[in-house]
Amino acid sequence: MPVLIIIIVLLVIVAVLALAVKIVKQYEQGVLFRLGRVVGPREPGLRLIVPFIDVMHRVSLRIVTMPIQSQGIITRDNVSVDVSAVAYFRVVDPVKSVVAIENVHAAIDQIAQTTLRKVVGQHTLDETLSETDTINLDIREILDVTTVEWGVQVTLVELKDIQLPESMKRAMARQAEAEREKRAKIINAEGESMAAAALGDASDIMMDHPLALQLRNLQSLVEIGVDKNTTVVFPAPLMSTIGELGSFLAHETAAATPLAPPVSDVTPTAAATTPALRKATNGAVPPASAPVVTGSRAMAVKES
């Protein structure tokens, strides 16, 4: 019987020690209640409490990642979108997080959803898509004001996904395509303007130096000849130059040829059959190669 009592006493002592010893982890902080009243926080390590009198709540101080489920929101320009986000928060005051609110995680989840709808609804669709940093900052500031009384600090809020209606996606695609075509036309026009200015400068230089145009034509012929083409197209200025050269050579050739005797006062041999010339030559017919003189010259021959 005494042995049984000893065993029972030992078991009671072990149970009391098990209830009295508490271990607080490094990333946690304990909040001690004694007879229902807050005694204060307890640092990490081995902590002893009075069983059945003291109660310790362990609170994690690590950053918590909480997804905010997708919310159907109507923007300021009456476009329906579905927006989801993610929030990061951590407990900075364990006593307030236990005493001021029953479930801090559920409370932050609900307040984050309502804040998300409120802030996004104050912006247009274009602002929602382009100014996400501003929206994230506005949501975080509103949550900080609300959760500071709960001993919680919201460190970051980010919009995760924005779902648009299919009709709006098609309209935005057409708008983006038109914008790209606009930019392409503007760039093309700027390029044409720059090319025209460069060509104008080049033409001024070629007017001051005429041989520059011929050199450019010859360079073009060299570039064409690289491809071993069977047809060579000559530029019009080069063709005119070749024509002028041909005319110059023809003129020089004609100038080098001796002039033929004038034929205005000379007639063929058959003219010698005239009666006056026959009488002057005593009826002799001049040879075929000899010229026949007519007119005043014939009268001079008769008088002699």
Side-chain angles (χ1 to χ4, degrees):
M1 190 67 180
V3 176
L4 181 59
I5 295 174
I6 294 174
I7 294 175
I8 294 174
V9 172
L10 291 176
L11 290 176
V12 170
I13 294 173
V14 170
V16 170
L17 291 175
L19 295 175
V21 175
K22 299 293 181 180
I23 298 176
V24 181
K25 298 179 181 179
Q26 181 64 40
Y27 56 84
E28 295 178 338
Q29 199 168 22
V31 179
L32 182 63
F33 289 84
R34 178 167 295 168
L35 298 177
R37 297 180 64 87
V38 176
V39 177
R42 292 295 183 265
E43 296 298 328
L46 182 64
R47 294 290 176 260
L48 297 176
I49 63 174
V50 179
F52 308 108
I53 296 177
D54 295 342
V55 177
M56 179 178 290
H57 293 275
R58 287 186 289 265
V59 179
S60 176
L61 303 180
R62 293 178 295 183
I63 294 178
V64 179
T65 302
M66 183 186 67
I68 304 174
Q69 63 181 1
S70 180
Q71 303 293 312
I73 305 171
I74 298 178
T75 60
R76 195 175 63 183
D77 52 351
N78 297 325
V79 178
S80 178
V81 295
D82 292 334
V83 182
S84 61
V86 59
Y88 300 86
F89 67 92
R90 65 187 183 92
V91 176
V92 294
D93 191 340
V95 177
K96 288 184 177 180
S97 67
V98 174
V99 176
I101 191 166
E102 180 180 0
N103 190 337
V104 66
H105 293 80
I108 294 178
D109 185 18
Q110 295 299 319
I111 193 64
Q113 293 181 22
T114 57
T115 305
L116 177 64
R117 286 195 298 267
K118 177 182 178 181
V119 174
V120 174
Q122 295 175 353
H123 294 77
T124 63
L125 178 61
D126 293 338
E127 294 173 350
T128 303
L129 296 176
S130 61
E131 300 179 3
T132 55
D133 293 338
T134 303
I135 296 176
N136 296 335
L137 183 60
D138 293 342
I139 296 174
R140 188 179 69 82
E141 290 178 352
I142 294 175
L143 291 178
D144 273 340
V145 173
T146 305
T147 59
V148 68
E149 299 178 356
W150 304 340
V152 176
Q153 179 185 7
V154 178
T155 58
L156 182 64
V157 176
E158 290 288 340
L159 296 182
K160 185 169 61 174
D161 189 19
I162 300 176
Q163 295 291 336
L164 301 176
E166 293 297 330
S167 59
M168 183 58 63
K169 290 181 181 179
R170 290 192 295 269
M172 294 179 66
R174 291 194 299 268
Q175 179 183 0
E177 184 178 359
E179 184 68 22
R180 286 193 296 269
E181 291 180 356
K182 170 188 172 183
R183 294 179 182 177
K185 290 181 180 179
I186 292 175
I187 294 173
N188 188 21
E190 291 177 352
E192 293 291 339
S193 177
M194 296 174 63
L199 290 175
D201 296 338
S203 64
D204 293 339
I205 297 174
M206 289 182 179
M207 288 180 64
D208 296 337
H209 305 280
L211 292 179
L213 180 60
Q214 303 301 328
L215 294 176
R216 186 68 184 89
N217 291 333
L218 294 176
Q219 184 180 358
S220 300
L221 293 178
V222 172
E223 293 175 357
I224 294 174
V226 173
D227 297 335
K228 299 180 180 180
N229 295 326
T230 57
T231 303
V232 178
V233 179
F234 290 93
L238 183 61
M239 294 300 296
S240 62
T241 303
I242 295 175
E244 293 174 359
L245 181 60
S247 300
F248 174 76
L249 293 176
H251 178 72
E252 293 296 328
T253 303
T257 303
L259 296 175
V263 297
S264 59
D265 296 336
V266 180
T267 59
T269 306
T273 58
T274 58
L277 185 57
R278 188 179 300 174
K279 184 177 179 180
T281 57
N282 295 324
V285 180
S289 60
V292 179
V293 181
T294 60
S296 60
R297 295 184 181 182
M299 293 300 296
V301 172
K302 182 178 178 183
E303 291 177 358
S304 62

